[in-house]
Each structure stands twice: as C-alpha cells, then as structure tokens.
Amino acid sequence: MDDTSTHEEWSDAQETTTVEVDDHELRVAYYEAGTDHDEPPVVFLHGIPTWSFLWRGVASAVAESRHVVAPDLVGYGNSTMRDGFDRSIRAQEAMLESLLDELNVDSVTLVGHDIGGGVALRYATHNPDAVDRLVLSNAVCYDSWPVEFVASLGVPKNAEKMDDDELEAQLDGAFEDGLYEDDPDPAFVEGMKAPWLGDGGKTALSRAAVSTNTNHTTELDYDAIAAETLLLWGGDDQFQPVSYAERLADDVDSTEFVELDRAYHWVTEDRPDVYRDELQTFLDGTE
C-alpha cells in the first residue's frame, strides 16, 4: 500500500489531464495506481463535500491487485475550481466519459459514494455495456437528496455572509456528524476540509451545492443497469438512509445488498477494514 495517508501526500500522488465538459476545458486531478490491466479498471467517485482523498484507505489497497483511478470531480479537490461551469452530476457524468476516453478505457468498474454514486448510476444507466461492475455506497438516488446542510450552502446569500471560521465550523460538523464514532481521525477531517479553505474554496463549495439537482436521478431508468451491482451501505446513515438502498435492490437486477452496522454516511471511515474486504470479494467475484 503506498504512502498517501495525508492530504498533502495524496495531492502529490495525483496526476492531471484536461477534459471538455459543455465546451469548457477543465483540469481533472486523479489518483492512479496498480498494474493489472487484464480486468477493467476500478474508478472511484466521491461525493459532496469531499474529494478523492475520501478513498485513501481503499483505492490504494485495491491497487495491489487492480488498476485503479480516483478522480476529483470538476469543481472539487485539485480539479478546476474556478467559477463559471456546471458541477451537477449530469456534468460530472460528462467529465467521467471524457476522462475515460483520455485514459483509453472502454470498460470500467465504478465505485461511487454520495453524489459520486449518482454519477455512477447515470453512467451505468446510459452506458450499460461499458460498466462491468457497479458498487454504490450511501449514494444519492431517486429523490434522496440534497440534504439540508448542502442545500443551505447552495444559497448564494448564505455563502456570502459566511466567514472563514463559520465555513470551517460547518465542515467540521458535516465530517464529524457523518461518522459513527465521536472521535474522528484528524487526518480525515483536515484532509476533507483542505480544498474548501483555500482561495475561492467557499464560492466553489457554494457552486457545487447549488448544482445538486434531484431531477438528475429521478429521471433515470434504473432497470437499464446491466452491471453486477453491490450496495455497500452504512446502515445508520441519516443523510442517505438505508431505505434507498433497499429500493435500489428492488429496481436493479443482479444486486447484492450488504448493510454495514456501526456506520453512518462516511462508511469508508467508520468500517474501513470490512468495507475493503467486502469490496475486494465482490471485485474478485468470490463468495
């Protein structure tokens, strides 16, 4: 497993490329590791208000046996964060398509959390032959989102009147309240906050929040998904309740549902070992 335990180390390990989304040329930063190209690469998609650092304890472990890619969504992390372009999951789906084209990837396994799960659902619905396997963790779907915290950040006047200390306090609350334990790993909280506390970060977060469009998941034809699917869900999540996983299990064929106890929204932090084990078993196609 490589040494990317801090957000600075993760950033240093990232590569960058340029994609085109809605006639905008945007930089995408991504973590890439692993050498096994016999199987489709595993692409990890994070949510809001996180970035690819969310996967630091998972992607590097999977990379021991698979080729992995973990991009920062546009408007997040070390990808382009300037103003003036769409951050919706529709736009992120277009980013993913362009990134995979840049990387010469035809078939893919997608692992998505939160709105990254919404991006994965859109891509798997619209490209059923291109997705080998699909893993969704506490993912936005149907009308499950946006949550109150994110919706509030998306109101421009709220962002404008919020000072830096207030922003950091809100982020602290989001990352601490989304965990099962009361004593979060400081590296996780600090790493998740870091991109939003720099120049332009507050505006970028507001733009990302206002781009959360429920229509982009209510319009999907979920039974068009052909991929073998794993729902690996934190069972105590209040942001994306397990009832939505149960609904997905009913609507998506070839679905395995694993509910992880003692796990809230940030399931990869609450149950990292069992998350990795369940994911690896599914990727290997073993019981």
Side-chain angles (χ1 to χ4, degrees), residues 32-44 59 62-69 103 105:
E32 185 172 25
T35 58
D36 183 1
H37 295 267
D38 293 333
E39 298 290 340
V42 183
V43 176
F44 293 87
V62 174
E64 293 177 2
S65 59
R66 295 285 291 270
H67 177 204
V68 304
V69 179
L103 298 177
V105 171

Side-chain angles (χ1 to χ4, degrees), residues 86-100:
D86 187 9
R87 275 96 156 151
S88 71
I89 65 170
R90 180 208 60 79
Q92 304 295 353
E93 179 192 13
M95 176 280 292
L96 175 62
E97 186 172 1
S98 184
L99 176 63
L100 295 179

Side-chain angles (χ1 to χ4, degrees), residues 113-128:
H113 179 266
D114 193 79
I115 69 166
V119 177
L121 280 165
R122 287 186 63 89
Y123 191 85
T125 298
H126 298 145
N127 304 275

Side-chain angles (χ1 to χ4, degrees), residues 14 27-29 46-52 71-82 85 87-89 92 114-115 150 195-196 204-205 207-209 211-212:
Q14 287 182 306
R27 181 185 70 255
V28 173
H46 67 86
I48 187 173
T50 67
W51 55 301
S52 60
D72 293 341
L73 301 182
V74 289
Y76 294 74
N78 292 311
S79 292
T80 297
M81 291 180 71
R82 64 168 170 79
F85 63 91
R87 275 96 156 151
S88 71
I89 65 170
Q92 304 295 353
D114 193 79
I115 69 166
V150 171
W196 308 118
L205 180 54
R207 298 295 185 264
S211 296
T212 52

Side-chain angles (χ1 to χ4, degrees), residues 199-236:
D199 292 341
K202 182 169 64 174
T203 298
L205 180 54
S206 178
R207 298 295 185 264
V210 80
S211 296
T212 52
N213 187 335
T214 310
N215 290 334
H216 293 167
T217 48
T218 57
E219 70 182 3
L220 295 179
D221 180 11
Y222 288 87
D223 63 9
I225 295 172
E228 295 285 330
T229 300
L230 170 65
L231 306 175
L232 190 49
W233 216 274
D236 297 305

Side-chain angles (χ1 to χ4, degrees), residues 44-45 54-55 57-59 62 110-113 135-138 230-234 258 260 263 265-283:
F44 293 87
L45 300 169
L54 176 75
W55 302 109
V58 178
V62 174
L110 296 178
V111 182
H113 179 266
V135 181
L136 301 169
S137 298
N138 302 75
L230 170 65
L231 306 175
L232 190 49
W233 216 274
V258 176
L260 300 182
H265 189 63
W266 311 120
V267 61
T268 58
E269 287 296 309
D270 280 328
R271 302 296 304 277
D273 293 339
V274 68
Y275 188 97
R276 285 192 297 265
D277 290 346
E278 292 285 354
L279 175 60
Q280 195 65 64
T281 297
F282 179 71
L283 295 178

